[in-house]
Each structure stands twice: as C-alpha cells, then as structure tokens.
Amino acid sequence: MSERLAAEVPSASQADGRLSILEPALWQRLQTAVTLAEAAQAWLTLQVRMLPAASGGCVLAPRDLAPLAVAGAGPEGLLHEAAATALRENRPVVHETEDGPSRAAIALPLLADGAAFAVAAFAVETRDRDELRGAIRQVQWGAAWLVAKQGEAIGRRDRQGLARSRAALDLLAGVLEQSRFRGACMAAVTDLAITFSCQRVAIGFMRRGVARVAGISHSAQFGREMNLVRRLGACMNEAVDQRSLILFPPPPGEVFVTTAHADLARLQHDGRVLTVPLLVDDRFVGAVTLERPGDQPFLSETVELIAATCAAIGPVLEEKRQNDRWLAVKAADSAAGLVRRIVGPNRTGLKLGLAALVAAVAALSLIQADYRVTADARVEGLVRRSVVASYDGYLKAAQVRAGDTVRKGDLLATLEDRDLALERLRWVTERQQRTYEYDKALATRQPATINVVKSQIDQADAQIRLIDEQLARAKFTAPFDGLIVSGDLSQAIGGAISRGQVLFEIAPLDAYRVVLSVDERLIADLREGQTGQMLASSLPDQPQALTIQTITPVAEARNGRNLFRVEGRITDGSTRLRPGMEGIAKVDVDRRLLAWVWARPVVDWARLALWHWWP
C-alpha cells in the first residue's frame, strides 16, 4: 500500500521541476483577477500545465454550460458530457472514450457554500486509474483558488450592497431630520453632492406637467428665471418625459434624447450630467440632476447607488411636499383628483357608486312621503267597570277570573249570607210578635200602646228591607257583555272581603282605546282628530285604524325619556283584540320630502346643541 501511495503522490523533485516551468505572469494574473472569468482563465492554464497527461480543459458555468475559460485542445463533446454528469451527480467523474485513442475526461463541480458556481473539465491522454485519481486530486487541491476568488466576489458584492444601503439610510436620515419641505430638499441635495463628489446637485418636482427646481446644493436662494435653473428644469423634464434615467455622455448602445443634458454639459465645459427621475406610487413626481467635471465620469456602480438612494428619499420628499401645502391647495388638489378619477377611464365602481349617490340625493330632494309619528302603544278597554264589595263579609264562591268572557247578568261571585239570613229571620219573627201586640192593643183600645207597637213594626220592616238589599248585593253579576281584565278570587274562597274592595274589572269587547307614549320631541306634531294605524305585537298581520282623541299635557319620565300620554280610539275593533296588548302605532301627520323626514332627528339635535353652546 505504501508503494501505491508513493506512485500516486509525485515526488518533491518532480513537483519542483514542474513549478519551475510555470510562468510567473499566470500566478500574478490569478492573484490580481477581479472577475471569476479572469481567475478561471489563469487557473485553468496553470492546471493544464501542472497535470502530466492533460491536453486541454475548460471551466463552464453551471446553468447553461457556457464557457468561462478554455485552455489547450480537447474533445469538446466529451468535456461537456463529463461536466454535465459531474453537475448532475455533484461529484468528480471520469469519462472514457469507447474507441479511438487512449483518452479520458475528468470533471468535478466547484462548490461555494454548498452550491456549484462552476464546473471544471480536463482532457487527459491516459486511462490509467492511478493517474486519473492523481489528476482529480490535483484539480481538487487547486480548486481552492477559484473557491477563494468566488468568495471574494460574493464579499465584494455584499460590501457594495451594504455601502449602497448605508449611503441611502444616511441620506434618508438627513431628510427625515428636517420638518419642512424646503429644508429637506436642501439637506438631500447637499448630502448627495458630498457623498458622490458632485460639483452640483439639483432636485425638482413636477407641477402642472413641468419640473420646478426645489433645491440646489450649496445655494440657499435661487431665482426661477436664472439660466441655470431653466436648464436644470429642462434636464429633469427630459428624464421624466422618457421615463428613464439619463446619463450624458450616454453609454454605448443607449438611445435617449439628451438635448437638454448636452446643453447643460456645455455650460459646465463638457461636464458629466446624470438625471434620475423620482418614482412614487407608479407616477413620476420629480427628478434629481447631478453634475461632475469632465474628468470624473459616473461609473456603473455609482449610478446604481445613486438610483437606489433617490428611490429611497423620493417618497419621503413627496410626502413632505404634500404636507407643506396650504389647506386650500390640498382641498383643491383632492377635488381635482376626484374629478379626474370620475371622468377618466376605469374606476367603474366609483362611477356607479357616485351615480347611485346622485340618484339617492335626487330622490330624497324630490320625492314626498307620508310623515308619521311613531310611538309605543297599549290597548285598553274604552270603558272599564269595577265590581266592588258593598259590605264586609266572606267569599263564598268565585265563578270567573281574569281573562274570562262574560255576558250581562252572569254571576261572577257570591259572599257568605247565612248571618244575614238568620238576621232576617229574627226581624221577621220580631215583626210578627209586634203585629200580634198591635192587634191586641187595637182590640183593647189602647192608643198609646198602638202608636208604640206601630213604630216597632215599621222598624222591623225597615230592617227586613235592609237585609234583603244586603242579600241581593251578596251576589255579583256582570253589568254588560265584556272581558274580565283583572280579578282572580279562586284562591281566596272563605277569605274576608272588605267593604269597597275591588273584586273584578270588566272591559267591553267591542270598544277599545289605544294609549300612545309619544316622545316629547314629536308631541308638537300631533293634533286631535289625526288618524293612523296600530299594529299589535300579537297580531302583526292585522293593522288597526285609530283616531287621536286626547293629548294629555303632562309628561312622564320613563327609561331616560320624557313621554306624553296620547289616547286614541280604535274605529273598527277586531274581535281578536284584547285589553293589555302592546305594539307600535303610527299617526299620519302630512306629506313631506324624504330628505326632511330622514334628516329631521339630526337637524333637531344640531339645533339643540347649537343653542346649548352658543354664547
């Protein structure tokens, strides 16, 4: 095994002999290469000369196998096939020709951070396994140069991105520190001039389709009629009109109109001019123009950094410009923008909504509707008769209770009458005795006795009539056809009844009134004789016509509102109505515009509030 390793690894004398023939220029080029293609070309030339049997090679891009570097001569098809296999399998591979000369191809992917950034392939004039393994190992050792160069390129791009972000953030911070638009513009152009070593920087914003210069670096005051200001505005208009960044002198291959930029460059003795338009919310709001001397051109990296910085500060400056305008100007601008959206294309939803709003306003202003006062309502009987106990006694029986329907003369309840019957019997016996004494005195002709006995007989008759009247009142009957609305004595049989106690309340079945609880804000609209309708909660399908009869001028506080009691008469009573039903009543007042009907609560509230706060 030690002999095999010795065969695979070249001896020190052999390596020194090979290194002595390497060209120092290739090593210098490899070390100073900036791009991956330059480094790959120098590295590939060195690798082909270091591999003993190598006749050529190539370094290919991983996506489309485009050549980054080519050295020597070799079978192009075999190298591409080996490179594709190495990329697909992500490992070093060896491809041999099936016939022809003793030739093979080795290929291995070049990885950075676990991803292939290139693939190297070499044509070798041998098929010996040991020599092929040694060649692969040599390429793996040498691949560290390209990996390092790729890392340097990635780090360089990262540093450029960080520098771009830092510059943009620094400029953005300077703009944000200013509270007013003019100060922010001056801070922006001054920082841009210092950061990018510009001779002059100007910024302008579009107004009525023309760019107006808002700030020039190192210039606190400038007039609009200055020749320089007009040329700067022309450059900004040129960039905004073409919707693109404009660099003068233009790079090869770019075709833009640069008349204004050429004019400004001649004014500065063939200087360099760059104008970057400011894009905010899909519209160009202004532009920034930067100037340099003729011997300091704008590099592509600088142009990208300036464009990124302007993209960052553009929305901030536009917002400050919008906020610094007068209130009347803001209102006019908003109105003009709304008109443009309405009359312009698209915005179908806005146009339909506006048309619906106009139609609604027209309808409210032209169409009249019934103005009605709405209030809570309660059904009561037109007459409410009370059945009252005429004397103290005890309840004997109760035939009805609340909710029962009765006819005139129906027995409602009776009181205990045994004591009255015994009392009547006593007075009847007393009268008979006095009658006998009267007859005896009359027969013996005793005038004095006759008068006394006659008075006692009259007293007995009076007592009998009184007891008969009390016995008649012991039975309570219905005074008319109606409904028992209150009174339930079924649980008080045998209980004491006091004189004057209300036993039952009866309401008629064919005559009702409605009691409305009207808010104090609406009571002034009601008059006696007005008509309306009442809808009971239990009969929502049967509106009842009513007529206002009485308006009580006394308010009652209920649930935080002042309510007036208004009584109305049901004109056509329904047989299904019952006293105690509740619902909603609407009283017709007159016909008024819909706008007045719906806006009246708000108008009344506003009047009260104005009256309350007006000094």
Side-chain angles (χ1 to χ4, degrees), residues 379 510-514 534 544-547 568-574 577:
V379 178
D510 57 351
Y512 298 99
R513 67 179 178 183
V514 179
M534 182 263 184
Q544 306 295 328
L546 62 90
T547 303
R569 175 74 180 274
I570 296 290
T571 55
D572 296 327
S574 173
L577 279 178

Side-chain angles (χ1 to χ4, degrees), residues 316-386:
V316 178
L317 291 174
E318 174 64 13
E319 182 180 1
K320 289 183 178 293
R321 186 181 74 89
Q322 296 289 341
N323 292 333
D324 270 8
R325 297 180 301 170
W326 291 97
L327 184 60
V329 177
K330 294 181 182 179
D333 193 14
S334 299
L338 180 61
V339 171
R340 286 194 297 269
R341 290 193 293 271
I342 293 174
V343 302
N346 302 324
R347 304 281 183 174
T348 304
L350 177 62
K351 295 177 181 178
L352 292 177
L354 184 61
L357 179 61
V358 172
V361 171
L364 292 175
S365 304
L366 299 176
I367 298 177
Q368 290 188 342
D370 293 332
Y371 171 56
R372 298 188 292 181
V373 173
T374 303
D376 296 334
R378 179 183 177 86
V379 178
E380 294 182 357
L382 184 61
V383 178
R384 192 162 182 170
R385 183 73 59 83
S386 298

